[in-house]
Amino acid sequence: MMAHALGSMAPVSASIMPDASLRKTGLKVKRDAMEFNVQNRLSFDNKLWMPLPSVNLKRRQTPTQYQCKVVAMSVQQTAKNKVPVQPLELDNAKEPPLNLYKPKEPYTATIVSVERLVGSNAPGETCHIVIDHGGNVPYWEGQSYGVIPPVRVIFGTEIHETGENPKKPGNPNNVRLYSIASTRYGDSFDGKTASLCVRRAVYYDPETGKEDPSKKGVCSNFLCDSKPGDKIQLTGPSGKIMLLPEDNPNATHIMIATGTGIAPFRGYLRRMFMEDVTSSYKFGGLSWLFLGVANTDSLLYDDEFNNYLKNYPDNFRYDKALSREQKNKSGGKMYVQDKIEEYSDEIFKLLDEGAHIYFCGLKGMMPGIQDTLKRVAEQRGESWDAKLSQLKKNKQWHVEVY
């Protein structure tokens, strides 16, 4: 990343966790979930990033205090300036990279960091995982990586990575697809990393209600348990449905996510509001994010989004549906489709004017959303089937569910 103009230098107190771990890529400091790897980095919303040896800070542990000197960036300056990115050649390609690496010949990348994203009261665990691909597996915003998890077999005290599929001995594990949660420049802004947003899949015995460790999700647990320096087998990138259309930088983008479905939208928004892509893309339209999660502790990348809301109020809107904390108009739990219904007149108007609408998350989200949109359309005297057909024909409708 190109060096950015610096503000004042001042001694401050930094919170450093007991399990701090050194990393080769420079300090990673996490203050209220706003996170990136740092060498000469910025502060956002008065959150400071230090060009010192790498330290891993985790919110869920109790910090001890150490004094250190940091280079601080003024909040006023960061509100006006975006982060320079390199290499800008990543913006020159006319077509997205597709399937550069396939399951039989995957790319061996390296885990940079694994950070818990959610608070202690969130159901389950979701992690932000940064992967170093050395610039060899480039991608565009909205694409996915495939991950081939190893099978760890213990012989005595040694762990062997066999790479076999437990259901098909002698065959490699099946590829799991994960939406990429960063821009093509990655969290370090140099085009060499990619980030994934992964929820640890666990299963519960329906009779006892207790977690069954023998039925954990293979790949999600492998990723969430990874340590810096671990190797990971990547395929891809894949996917064209969720690519961010950039032919009109003043377009409207309505993004609807549940849980880890936030991944591609984080990439979109960093490209729109955080990065200074001088060669091409300068966003001047409207991005409207709807995020559905269980509770406040389950919100993902919330500080990033709130920064955009503060710094770009004319270009960004952010609405949350917290099913365990909010009620819909009928007194039931607030799901993302209920939040959409609240703004349905405005959403339909924007769609009529050419807005793109995106959906990403568990496939169970779509029936409720489709039913809500159909009901709203009928109340407006419109045929939802005809409207949906037109949206698809105009390439305004983008869905990626899993």
Side-chain angles (χ1 to χ4, degrees):
M1 188 192 78
M2 291 165 47
H4 206 76
L6 300 176
S8 60
M9 293 188 64
V12 300
S13 176
S15 298
I16 300 180
M17 301 303 172
D19 68 341
S21 60
L22 293 180
R23 296 183 186 148
K24 296 178 181 179
T25 53
L27 175 65
K28 182 169 186 181
V29 178
K30 180 175 179 183
R31 299 282 301 270
D32 297 331
M34 190 71 186
E35 54 186 326
F36 3 164
N37 292 318
V38 183
Q39 291 165 352
N40 289 313
R41 295 295 189 254
L42 308 178
S43 70
F44 284 85
D45 194 20
N46 209 20
K47 296 174 176 59
L48 303 176
W49 304 96
M50 297 178 280
L52 297 173
S54 175
V55 180
N56 176 16
L57 307 190
K58 295 185 178 179
R59 180 193 308 174
R60 67 177 183 271
Q61 299 183 2
T62 303
T64 56
Q65 295 296 320
Y66 292 87
Q67 295 293 327
C68 60
K69 184 171 289 188
V70 306
V71 179
M73 164 86 55
S74 72
V75 175
Q76 182 180 9
Q77 188 174 20
T78 54
K80 293 180 180 179
N81 295 337
K82 296 184 178 182
V83 182
V85 294
Q86 291 285 352
L88 292 175
E89 289 76 9
L90 291 175
D91 273 275
N92 293 341
K94 302 301 181 184
E95 294 292 330
L98 287 170
N99 301 314
L100 302 177
Y101 293 90
K102 298 182 179 179
K104 291 185 178 180
E105 295 182 344
Y107 179 80
T108 301
T110 304
I111 297 291
V112 175
S113 62
V114 179
E115 303 287 345
R116 180 184 173 97
L117 280 176
V118 295
S120 58
N121 292 323
E125 181 179 32
T126 302
C127 295
H128 180 75
I129 300 165
V130 179
I131 301 166
D132 182 358
H133 59 80
N136 297 306
V137 197
Y139 56 90
W140 283 9
E141 297 73 24
Q143 289 191 298
S144 299
Y145 272 163
V147 177
I148 304 176
V151 175
R152 296 183 172 181
V153 179
I154 300 177
F155 298 98
T157 59
E158 295 184 359
I159 298 177
H160 296 264
E161 306 288 357
T162 69
E164 288 187 347
N165 188 327
K167 296 181 180 179
K168 299 178 181 179
N171 293 307
N173 264 306
N174 294 328
V175 174
R176 274 72 162 185
L177 291 178
Y178 292 93
S179 297
I180 299 171
S182 51
T183 74
R184 65 195 70 185
Y185 295 99
D187 284 12
S188 55
F189 310 110
D190 60 4
K192 295 182 179 180
T193 69
S195 300
L196 303 180
C197 180
V198 179
R199 177 166 176 165
R200 187 189 294 275
V202 295
Y203 297 87
Y204 293 88
D205 187 302
E207 295 183 0
T208 65
K210 295 183 178 180
E211 183 178 331
D212 183 351
S214 67
K215 295 182 179 180
K216 287 183 177 181
V218 172
C219 197
S220 66
N221 281 272
F222 159 67
L223 289 169
C224 291
D225 289 336
S226 294
K227 302 292 188 295
D230 286 354
K231 301 302 178 182
I232 179 174
Q233 301 296 307
L234 296 181
T235 68
S238 63
K240 298 178 74 173
I241 293 174
M242 295 291 285
L243 292 178
L244 178 64
E246 296 189 355
D247 53 332
N248 177 9
N250 297 317
T252 295
H253 304 272
I254 303 167
M255 300 165 283
I256 295 137
T258 58
T260 57
I262 195 63
F265 306 141
R266 180 191 185 245
Y268 294 176
L269 294 169
R270 285 172 76 90
R271 185 159 173 83
M272 292 171 179
F273 300 124
M274 183 180 289
E275 296 179 346
D276 182 12
V277 185
T278 58
S279 63
S280 59
Y281 190 59
K282 292 187 179 298
F283 182 68
L286 171 66
S287 279
W288 192 353
L289 174 63
F290 292 86
L291 174 58
V293 293
N295 55 23
T296 301
D297 263 17
S298 302
L299 289 168
L300 305 172
Y301 310 110
D302 191 54
D303 280 10
E304 285 191 26
F305 303 149
N306 283 318
N307 270 286
Y308 305 147
L309 197 63
K310 181 182 71 174
N311 295 333
Y312 301 94
D314 296 331
N315 302 99
F316 182 56
R317 295 174 66 173
Y318 179 29
D319 285 279
K320 312 165 195 179
L322 308 178
S323 61
R324 299 188 184 181
E325 295 179 3
Q326 298 173 329
K327 301 293 184 183
N328 62 24
K329 65 180 182 181
S330 301
K333 292 183 177 181
M334 175 70 78
Y335 293 108
V336 70
Q337 61 262 32
D338 301 310
K339 188 62 68 173
I340 293 169
E341 189 171 9
E342 286 185 16
Y343 297 98
S344 57
D345 285 341
E346 192 171 358
I347 289 173
F348 271 65
K349 181 176 182 294
L350 291 171
L351 291 174
D352 289 341
E353 293 173 352
H356 291 270
I357 190 165
Y358 311 79
F359 305 87
C360 191
L362 293 174
K363 60 184 178 181
M365 71 185 278
M366 288 310 295
I369 290 173
Q370 290 268 34
D371 290 345
T372 297
L373 293 172
K374 182 176 182 179
R375 183 173 64 254
V376 170
E378 290 174 349
Q379 292 170 353
R380 294 165 57 90
E382 300 181 52
S383 165
W384 172 244
D385 291 339
K387 193 173 192 69
L388 178 58
S389 177
Q390 190 64 43
L391 291 171
K392 291 179 178 179
K393 182 179 179 180
N394 294 344
K395 298 182 178 180
Q396 295 173 251
W397 183 265
H398 312 264
V399 179
E400 183 174 86
V401 292
Y402 40 87

